[in-house]
Amino acid sequence: MSGVRAALAKGRNACLEHMGACESSGLQWTEEPVTEILLSRAAPEVSFATFTRRQEAKVGADWLWWWIAPNGESYGLLVQAKRLYVDGTRWSFKFDHNAGEQRRSLFEAAAALDVAPVYSLYLGTQRYRGPVDCGRVSHETECCAECAVLAVSLMPANLAVSHLVTDAHDTYSQSVALEAAFDNAEKQAAWLGAITADLTPDLREFLHTPQIGVRAIARSLVDRVLHVRQGQFSKNVEASIRTESLGVVFPELPGDRGHFGSPYMPLLLRGLVHAPPDYVVSMIAGNELGDPPFDNIAGVVLIQTGG
């Protein structure tokens, strides 16, 4: 695990160097080069491959990320990169770019592939973000190590709503630093509330005890959504949902929607499976990926966690 963490930190540092150099020279850095830098500098601990016959993307270039434990348990995400735009104290990521087509494409493709839709947020340097507090006890006004770690973060896509993510506080509280996504020391998730009665014993244990490796990634994202759900007062609780997909770790999940429009537990946990899909196994064996399942998907990232 320490090797993967170090590799992700190395990739993030390289991204910061690139973003900082662009900022200093008056250039506007963009998502695609930052993604390429992140992946290339995190290699070989983080491996990746592009689809050999990918058509020119119509609405962006997303990546399938698969985190794989030694026992085969895996967590799949469809990740769309978004850069930060700063206007005074207002932050934005243009989640609704192109009349929302990118966002719809992300959700539709993630549903078809049975993975969780997630945004990778590129926040730029601390200087670019301005005089904002990262919320950590160790925060420093200049050269803050915690602010640097947050430069590449993950946000569950159902939280990424333009009019609800408008500043540093919203962004930091609803996302998790990529390299810190393994950290999950919380004994219980932020909010369980009305879903408590719908928890199966294995899901209850998952939400009540600290997780490591692949499961820690999933718990970190679930916790961000539960933290927001805690502030939603409506009791929009529906019957439990049982998935028809084979191999999922949690086949029965609460149907609570909150204010998110659709059940959030299946959205985030359908990608947590006992074994990776065939195309991942083929990639691990050294085979080319071939055609993409959707035109907007650039390739697959594999992270073997070691735990």
Side-chain angles (χ1 to χ4, degrees):
M1 186 70 71
S2 60
V4 171
R5 186 187 301 273
L8 293 173
K10 180 182 176 184
R12 183 260 306 163
N13 277 325
C15 292
L16 272 173
E17 290 177 7
H18 171 73
M19 292 184 285
C22 289
E23 292 161 14
S24 297
S25 61
L27 292 174
Q28 185 178 88
W29 46 269
T30 57
E31 292 94 343
E32 189 168 353
V34 176
T35 298
E36 291 172 347
I37 291 169
L38 173 66
L39 297 178
S40 62
R41 297 299 178 86
E45 286 81 4
V46 174
S47 59
F48 58 92
T50 57
F51 288 101
T52 56
R53 291 180 292 279
R54 185 175 77 92
Q55 299 177 20
E56 185 64 25
K58 298 178 181 178
V59 289
D62 306 338
W63 285 80
L64 274 162
W65 285 58
W66 278 96
W67 308 75
I68 305 172
N71 66 355
E73 191 167 272
S74 305
Y75 186 46
L77 311 171
L78 185 58
V79 179
Q80 186 175 110
K82 287 291 183 181
R83 62 154 292 153
L84 169 65
Y85 295 88
V86 179
D87 183 7
T89 60
R90 185 175 179 82
W91 286 21
S92 64
F93 294 92
K94 298 186 178 180
F95 294 125
D96 298 320
H97 176 68
N98 199 16
E101 186 178 355
Q102 280 188 332
R103 181 178 176 82
R104 287 191 295 273
S105 173
L106 174 66
F107 275 86
E108 289 171 2
L113 294 167
D114 284 327
V115 295
V118 172
Y119 283 102
S120 176
L121 306 182
Y122 299 149
L123 304 184
T125 65
Q126 186 176 0
R127 182 179 66 253
Y128 174 74
R129 287 174 248 174
V132 295
D133 192 323
C134 64
R136 274 56 172 182
V137 175
S138 58
H139 175 73
E140 299 181 19
T141 55
E142 294 183 8
C143 302
C144 176
E146 293 291 346
C147 287
V149 169
L150 293 166
V152 179
S153 294
L154 300 176
M155 178 181 286
N158 61 334
L159 298 184
V161 181
S162 293
H163 70 276
L164 298 179
V165 182
T166 61
D167 58 21
H169 175 267
D170 296 338
T171 303
Y172 290 151
S173 64
Q174 296 178 33
S175 62
V176 57
L178 174 62
E179 66 206 71
F182 301 108
D183 301 334
N184 196 323
E186 297 172 279
K187 294 183 179 179
Q188 178 173 320
W191 178 90
L192 295 179
I195 68 171
T196 299
D198 295 327
L199 300 178
T200 58
D202 55 347
L203 182 58
R204 187 183 306 275
E205 181 181 4
F206 172 74
L207 293 172
H208 277 269
T209 59
Q211 302 296 316
I212 61 172
V214 164
R215 291 197 177 201
I217 308 297
R219 246 300 288 279
S220 292
L221 296 177
V222 167
D223 283 355
R224 296 309 179 276
V225 172
L226 290 175
H227 175 75
V228 174
R229 177 65 180 91
Q230 185 178 17
Q232 299 173 352
F233 299 107
S234 65
K235 294 184 178 180
N236 192 357
V237 180
E238 300 183 9
S240 295
I241 296 174
R242 186 167 185 85
T243 180
E244 299 298 326
S245 300
L246 298 176
V248 294
V249 172
F250 301 116
E252 187 172 340
L253 293 164
D256 182 41
R257 296 170 179 261
H259 293 174
F260 302 117
S262 62
Y264 51 88
M265 281 295 196
L267 183 82
L268 293 172
L269 291 178
R270 65 192 177 201
L272 187 61
V273 293
H274 291 297
D278 290 343
Y279 64 87
V280 173
V281 175
S282 179
M283 179 178 165
I284 293 173
N287 299 318
E288 291 186 341
L289 290 175
D291 291 324
F294 294 88
D295 288 350
N296 60 301
I297 300 179
V300 179
V301 178
L302 300 184
I303 303 177
Q304 296 176 286
T305 64

